[in-house]
Structures are given as structure tokens and as C-alpha cells.
Amino acid sequence: MLDFTVITIFPPMFDSPLGHSILKKAQEKGLISVRLVDPRDYTTDKHRTVDDSPYGGGQGMVMKPEPLAAAIEDVKEKLNRPRVILLSPQGKLFDQAEAQRLSQEKELVLVCGRYEGVDERVKEFVDEELSVGDYTLSGGELPAMVVIDAVARLIPGVLGNLKSPEEDSFTDGLLEYPQYTRPEEFRGMKVPEVLLSGDHERIQSWRREMSLKITRERRPDLLGKAGARVEKKNTPRPTPARVYIALLHHPVYDKNGAVVTTAVTNMDIHDIARAAKTYGLKKFYVVTPVKALQKLSLKIIAHWEEGYGAEYNHTRKEALALARVKDTLDDAILDVERECGVKPKLVVTSARAGKNRTSFAALRNMLRVTPAPFLLLLGTGWGLTEEILAQSDTILEPIEGGTNYNHLSVRSAAAIILDRLLGTESAKENL
Ligand code: 4GX
């Protein structure tokens, strides 16, 4: 039972909202009560004056303190320490969390101001101020009705069995999913198939997805709010671990478009190994035909795998344990084939735009549904040659920063690609 007392100079304004539907039934069932108190009844002059002109001059009128204070004092005396709220644009924003909080009270007094407001000293008689939104209304009556309605719905029994407030918009901090009723087709617009499926699990997850989508599109501010139930579900990785990566130092282009062999760098080996480990890749191939560079690569890997570095930093060791040095791309492909029993799908990345580019989202899906292993090829220098591109199964769309400067390091590109393809769901949502 929640006992509302409304202090208003227009008590009849409440008759209609309280006399219909949910709020009417709630009163009939004894779940809420609403008492209306008119400050005019607390005036002492012949004209029952409740307002006066503002000190300092200016437009309009202000509610006098005496009748309002007397009304508040009187109702406080008759009640048992109620919570007294002034509806005002300067108040704290009333939202679902505030409604929840107020629904726990036993007695609420809602004070409605009119005109330009109430004498500031009346605020000594109230516990708090609430605003229903950033717009100007003609008085506190409509805001008080908003508060009564939103709070009453949360009182057990008010909604009956028809609908539980848990299903309401905002209860989980999100906007509602779309609703449909008969007919199945209306003016050419069909009800989404999933809702006719009878598969409650599918229906529930569709509704959840739609709620999140609509909230993301229209009210992203709600997602950041406390109470927003956007489970940071540790989404299962989208694919089992059968993704490989290779860093090619040959054949690649130089800045003049000549096919060359680039030098192996310490930083590329380290950073790509760590990214590969982070995103659950199976192996990282460092491909170079130059014997001296193969030796250097092995030395770098061994330092962290077995040498002093292994002691010093064992997480680095775990990453470099994925690294293998290969003569050619074909050797890397063979290695994957030996391990998986089938040839890997070759995915190349190219900073150059072109036709038949595959989007990251599409490849992410392919990784999820294709049983074959995938080998991601990264080019050094000025990129992979056309010959390699022609040999590949998939050419990924370029990574674009929205400027005409397009010179990511291969290790930066690797990290971005891995996150887009294998990062958790929340990362995917940014695509
Ligand atoms: N959310 N108004 C109240 C007069 C007033 C002003 C100051 C007390 C203090 C409003 C809102 C709102 C207009 C109701 C001014 N009373 N109240 N009225 N929005 O705009 O709550």
C-alpha cells in the first residue's frame, strides 16, 4: 500500500487520470490511495490568495509560502514521516530508478507549484525536488501524475497478472523490442518470422537483440547507465582455434613496385606473436627465404623461448612459442595442412582497394561456419604481390582511417585485423 498526498490548487485535474484503468483499479484494490489537498484551504484572507508578485520585479506570479507551508505541515502531522517531494524543473531527473526508489516508500507527498514557481523558503519544507524532463510545463500537476503512475505500476498487484513490471521498458535499462499482433500481414508488412515460430528461446534472444539494437541506435546514453543490463557476456570466441597467420618478407613490393625481399624486424616478430596469442591463433609463421634472416628470427624467438628472456618474461615466451620460421609461403601452407589434414583457406590483406574485397564482418562469419583452417597473410614492405593476391581465397577490404594517409605498420594492421575477426562480440558491434 502506498499512500500519495498531492498538494495542488487544482485538485480536479487529477480526477480523470486517477479515475481510469490501472490507477483506478489500484485504488479500488487498496494498493494505492491518493489524497488531494488544496493550499487555498490554508489561506487566511477573504480572497484565499495563494500567489503574489515576485520581489525584485519581473513577469508573473510566485506561490506564497504561508499556504503551501501550512498545507505541508498539516499533512505531515497526519501522516507518519512521509517523503515530501516538490515537482520542479530544477529537480533531479525522475527516471525508472527513481520510480523504483519511491515505490519502496509508504507515504509520499507531492507538492505542485504553479506560475513562475514557489517562494524559495518553501523548499525548507520539502525533502527533495524532482523534474520529469527538460521542458517547461504549466504546473507541477502533470509531473505529479507522471510520478504517481510510474511508481504505482511497480507496486505488486497493481498490474495484476497481465504484465509484470520486469517486462517493462527500462526495467533492464533498455528500450522495448518491437511488438506485433494480428494480422500476420498488414498492408504488405509481415510479422517477423521468428515471432510465429513458437520457439521461445529464439523469440527471447531476438527480442533481446532488438532491444539492444534500438537502444544502441536511439539512446546509447542508456547503455552507459548504472542498471543497464547489458551483460558483458564473455561471448564464446566466434571460432575454434584454427586460424594461422604468416608474415611474408618475400614476395612483396618495394615503393617502386619492384618485387623484393624485406628484412625481418624484431618488433614485428614480437608484436605479432603477442597478438596471435591474445586472439587464440594456432601458429605464427615468419616467412623469409634469406638464410641469415631465418637465423636471426630463430635467435629472437629462442631468446624469449629458452634463453634469459624466458625466465625474465614467461608471458612473452607463451607468445613466441607460436612462432615458426619458414622459407616460403608454400612451406607455411604445408605445415598447416600437416597439422589440420586439409589445406588452409588463404586470406590476404591489402591496403589497396580493388574489386572482390571481402568485408571483415563477412570473413568473421566465414570463420565461424567454415570447418577448414584459415591462414591470414600479412605483407611487409609495400604489400603482398598481385601473384599472392591471385592465389588467395579471400581478399579483405582495406583498413581505413578516414584520411588520405594510409601507412599502418604491419603489426598495427595485424592487431586491427585480429580484433575485427576474432575479438569478442562487443568489439564486433563497432563494425
Ligand atoms: N518537471 N514545471 C512546476 C512551477 C514551479 C517552478 C519551480 C516549483 C518550482 C516541471 C518539470 C515543470 C513548470 C512544473 C514550473 N514549481 N516540473 N512549475 N518539467 O516544468 O517537474
Side-chain angles (χ1 to χ4, degrees), residues 63 86-91 111-118 123 129-141 143-144:
M63 288 186 86
L86 175 68
L87 286 310
S88 146
Q90 289 129 349
V111 182
C112 307
R114 278 267 145 186
Y115 316 113
E116 304 318 305
V118 303
K123 295 187 183 165
E129 289 177 61
L130 287 178
S131 163
V132 295
D134 294 335
Y135 34 75
T136 306
L137 298 168
S138 310
E141 284 76 12

Side-chain angles (χ1 to χ4, degrees), residues 246-255 258 260-265 268-269 272 284-289 349 352 377-385 408-411:
L247 180 65
L248 265 65
H249 298 84
H250 178 87
V252 294
Y253 291 127
D254 73 0
K255 65 179 168 197
V260 295
T261 300
T262 57
V264 167
T265 79
D268 284 342
I269 295 182
I272 296 171
F284 162 38
Y285 300 104
V286 178
V287 180
T288 173
T349 55
R352 301 186 294 274
L377 306 184
L378 302 167
T380 54
W382 262 253
L384 296 167
T385 61
L408 285 173
S409 69
V410 69
R411 47 189 191 281

Side-chain angles (χ1 to χ4, degrees), residues 216-323:
R216 204 153 47 227
E217 284 169 3
R218 305 192 190 170
R219 295 292 308 280
D221 58 303
L222 294 176
L223 295 171
K225 261 188 153 177
R229 278 196 229 144
V230 195
E231 64 269 23
K232 267 264 159 245
K233 47 179 179 193
N234 250 336
T235 40
R237 293 175 24 76
T239 174
R242 46 180 176 66
V243 181
Y244 297 76
I245 197 163
L247 180 65
L248 265 65
H249 298 84
H250 178 87
V252 294
Y253 291 127
D254 73 0
K255 65 179 168 197
N256 303 314
V259 177
V260 295
T261 300
T262 57
V264 167
T265 79
N266 187 7
M267 255 195 288
D268 284 342
I269 295 182
H270 274 108
D271 289 6
I272 296 171
R274 291 161 72 179
K277 182 70 186 167
T278 301
Y279 289 91
L281 270 59
K282 291 198 82 172
K283 277 182 189 167
F284 162 38
Y285 300 104
V286 178
V287 180
T288 173
V290 181
K291 293 288 176 245
L293 293 175
Q294 289 177 8
K295 241 178 103 181
L296 171 67
S297 305
L298 287 168
K299 205 174 140 192
I300 294 169
I301 296 164
H303 170 73
W304 293 100
E305 260 212 294
E306 298 145 21
Y308 167 71
E311 289 292 313
Y312 175 76
N313 185 336
H314 67 92
T315 59
R316 190 73 58 88
K317 173 180 168 173
E318 282 176 56
L320 283 156
L322 299 181

